[in-house]
Amino acid sequence: MSDDDWSTRHSVLTTARRTAALVNVLADDRPDPDEVAAVLLAYGETGPVGLGPEEVTGMRAAAALLREVFAATTADEAAAVLNRLLREHTGPLRLTSHGGTAPWHAHVDRDDDAPWAEWLLASSCMALAVLLWDRQRPPGRTCASGSCRNVFVAQGSGPERRYCSRRCATRERVAAHRGRHFAGGSGGGSDGAAEGPV
């Protein structure tokens, strides 16, 4: 693998997106280890990834802590959560090449062989902190749909996203339209609602 391939797969934005995907898959009461492993593989981990129940339980606890960052509504709130997590759950910044198998890069977990939960929390905190630093706003959000608990990475220079996916945005728009239709007693004409950002 070239350095360019490695840096794309392990960019701050990709790492933050991996964090959101793991927070979502680990939100289940009993996350499927194979689904968790599939997310890790999709975001660049080399296989095979074998996760036991204890490892998934630890990762689930880490994901619950990371969810607080996505729930923050201001940069100040997100920074306070990240500062607490960095202080309580990470080691000092260090550089590693994983014994020469990867380009040099930063880690804040305590060891290259750290448990999955520690690695998840440390690498995620670092990526989310860099996004907050770079954009001066919370790095992510929780989906605004009342029926969805997913988190996502807020990005781009356009209008701020409110929903994790187009599916959630469409479901909420349809529900709002039906609510106005039944409340107003008429079904004709345009309601003037703009499509807005996902």
Side-chain angles (χ1 to χ4, degrees):
M1 163 185 12
S2 74
D3 285 357
D4 287 344
D5 292 341
W6 189 92
S7 63
T8 299
R9 284 184 26 222
H10 297 280
S11 71
V12 169
L13 188 55
T14 300
T15 301
R17 287 178 177 151
R18 181 201 66 209
T19 298
L22 286 169
V23 168
N24 292 335
V25 76
L26 290 160
D28 290 339
D29 288 337
R30 294 176 185 260
D32 181 341
D34 290 337
E35 289 180 19
V36 177
V39 171
L40 292 168
L41 292 169
Y43 281 90
E45 280 301 312
T46 55
V49 175
L51 297 171
E54 287 183 18
E55 291 167 311
V56 172
T57 297
M59 292 177 77
R60 187 168 184 266
L65 294 172
L66 291 164
R67 183 175 285 277
E68 296 177 46
V69 181
F70 290 93
T73 58
T74 67
D76 289 352
E77 289 175 13
V81 173
L82 283 165
N83 279 337
R84 177 174 48 83
L85 294 178
L86 287 163
R87 182 176 59 251
E88 295 175 0
H89 299 283
T90 65
L93 183 69
R94 65 187 177 83
L95 291 170
T96 181
S97 67
H98 298 285
T101 62
W104 286 101
H105 58 286
H107 269 233
V108 290
D109 51 4
R110 288 172 179 84
D111 187 272
D112 281 355
D113 295 322
W116 282 105
E118 182 181 330
W119 165 84
L120 170 60
L121 195 51
S123 63
S124 298
C125 282
M126 188 165 64
L128 296 173
V130 171
L131 286 183
L132 189 153
W133 171 12
D134 187 49
R135 298 174 183 176
Q136 295 297 302
R137 64 182 188 189
R141 294 188 63 143
T142 301
C143 186
S145 172
S147 60
C148 181
R149 296 178 54 212
N150 282 347
V151 301
F152 61 93
V153 175
Q155 60 173 327
S157 57
E160 189 172 354
R161 286 177 54 192
R162 297 182 58 226
Y163 301 100
C164 68
S165 65
R166 291 200 179 278
R167 181 178 177 192
C168 278
T170 300
R171 183 173 55 238
E172 290 299 308
R173 286 187 191 112
V174 168
H177 175 75
R178 287 181 180 157
R180 286 189 299 273
H181 172 74
F182 289 118
S186 82
S190 170
D191 63 6
E195 272 298 297
V198 175

